[in-house]
Amino acid sequence: MPLRARIGRQELSFGSEWLVGVNDTAAGFTGLSFDAIRLTYAVDMFSVDAFAAALQENGNWEQDGDVWMYGLYGSYLGFEDITIDAYYLLVRDAVSLNDTFSAWYSEWLENFIGVDDYDASYLNTIGLRGAGTIGAFDFESEVAMQWGDADAVGVGFRPFAYGDDGAEFDAWAVNLEAGYTFDMTWQPRVYLGYAFFEGE
């Protein structure tokens, strides 16, 4: 059957692992796994993955203090030695780092004047990727746009303890690489890469 389901601790690796991967290229690090639910539909011409993964669990005493990542990742495989990917990722961050957890009267005052009341942050990412080989040449090109509400990360510092409860994500990122592999002993490869990350 072309449909597969995986539930439990597992690796999530998509594309070149630029945004989601197992981090197996880091020196001295053994890899990265996720507690996730993943559905995969794969046929000869394309594949689609849908997943939900817990990134941080803060225990039962928090009403809503967890971080979850959801994603939809599709790959078109109809071109020989070339892959075209499109994806959407959502990170919901409800860690609530900004709550000062003061005494009851301070909490009442904060509620009255409308501060220290942050919603969960939502980071949306949409992107396109193309990668493959043409003879001795290889290439990869990926562009991603991120947007969303950044309430949980708009924290201030004492004595200005209240952060920006209207902070927002709005950024672009680009990752480009082209290489050439020589057909000789040891097969040396030369390449040129460029990365751009926008943000505050």
Side-chain angles (χ1 to χ4, degrees):
M1 299 294 291
L3 183 63
R4 178 181 66 199
R6 288 182 174 174
I7 302 173
R9 185 156 295 178
Q10 59 189 286
E11 294 182 343
L12 296 176
S13 178
F14 298 104
S16 63
E17 302 183 22
W18 185 48
L19 295 180
V20 180
V22 297
N23 201 26
D24 56 357
T25 58
F29 195 73
T30 58
L32 181 66
S33 61
F34 298 85
D35 292 331
I37 299 172
R38 178 179 180 179
L39 298 175
T40 303
Y41 183 85
V43 293
D44 291 340
M45 296 291 286
F46 69 91
S47 67
V48 178
D49 284 276
F51 63 89
L55 302 184
Q56 183 174 341
E57 176 68 43
N58 286 315
N60 297 326
W61 61 86
E62 279 278 356
Q63 180 180 0
D64 187 5
D66 302 330
V67 182
W68 280 80
M69 177 174 63
Y70 308 91
L72 189 63
Y73 199 100
S75 298
Y76 178 70
L77 310 171
F79 301 114
E80 185 177 0
D81 298 325
I82 294 176
T83 302
I84 306 295
D85 300 332
Y87 54 86
Y88 170 75
L89 305 172
L90 169 65
V91 175
R92 182 183 186 274
D93 183 351
V95 171
S96 301
L97 295 174
N98 299 332
D99 197 333
T100 56
F101 296 112
S102 303
W104 69 267
Y105 50 86
S106 297
E107 292 289 334
W108 178 87
L109 181 60
E110 290 171 345
N111 289 337
F112 180 76
I113 61 177
V115 295
D116 200 29
D117 184 18
Y118 305 93
D119 296 324
S121 289
Y122 291 89
L123 174 60
N124 301 273
T125 303
I126 190 169
L128 290 172
R129 173 182 176 269
T133 58
I134 302 173
F137 291 94
D138 62 88
F139 70 93
E140 179 177 2
S141 174
E142 187 165 359
V143 59
M145 177 189 173
Q146 293 186 323
W147 76 96
D149 299 320
D151 284 10
V153 295
V155 66
F157 297 95
R158 293 187 184 278
F160 308 105
Y162 304 116
D164 181 4
D165 61 2
E168 294 183 349
F169 296 108
D170 183 14
W172 287 87
V174 175
N175 187 39
L176 305 172
E177 185 173 306
Y180 181 86
T181 302
F182 293 92
D183 187 13
M184 56 188 295
T185 305
W186 300 102
Q187 294 186 318
R189 174 180 179 262
V190 294
Y191 69 93
L192 181 65
Y194 171 79
F196 168 80
F197 303 93
E198 183 185 28
E200 296 186 29

